Amino acid sequence: MGIIERVVLIENKLGLHARAATKLAKLCQNYSASITLDLEGKHASADSIMALMLLTGSQGKQVRITADGDDSEQAMTAICDLFSNKFDEGE
């Protein structure tokens, strides 16, 4: 498939906190694609909860998501949906 990149905005109030990082990591573990997030010069594997939390992504920040693999398109769609749905946190 090749490498796909998207930039998303963190919209949920608490940002990439423990619950959001857990949801994202569990979602990414469903795909074989290699998925990474970049935020202000820091990089994290999307299937690692701790790495995601260390990005300290807060509301209003932009995150670059990169997916590389056979199911990268499906993975990217699901990840972008999770971000746009504010991690289903119902604010």
Side-chain angles (χ1 to χ4, degrees):
M1 238 302 139
I3 299 173
I4 299 172
E5 285 190 4
R6 300 266 193 299
V7 176
V8 296
L9 184 66
I10 299 174
E11 297 182 51
N12 58 315
K13 284 183 187 164
L14 298 175
L16 214 45
H17 61 101
R19 191 168 43 252
T22 301
K23 274 190 173 189
L24 180 56
K26 285 184 176 180
L27 175 68
C28 291
Q29 289 166 6
N30 293 324
Y31 299 96
S32 63
S34 173
I35 304 164
T36 56
L37 272 70
D38 297 299
L39 176 64
E40 298 176 341
K42 293 187 260 182
H43 312 288
S45 174
D47 59 3
S48 169
I49 297 167
M50 189 55 71
L52 291 170
M53 288 177 59
L54 289 172
L55 288 176
T56 60
S58 57
Q59 186 179 36
K61 291 192 175 178
Q62 289 189 331
V63 181
R64 178 179 305 282
I65 304 166
T66 306
D68 185 13
D70 291 337
D71 55 2
S72 56
E73 193 69 55
Q74 297 94 321
M76 187 64 76
T77 298
I79 294 164
C80 289
D81 286 348
L82 186 63
F83 272 88
S84 66
N85 291 330
K86 300 180 182 180
F87 295 88
D88 302 319
E89 290 180 358
E91 317 181 335

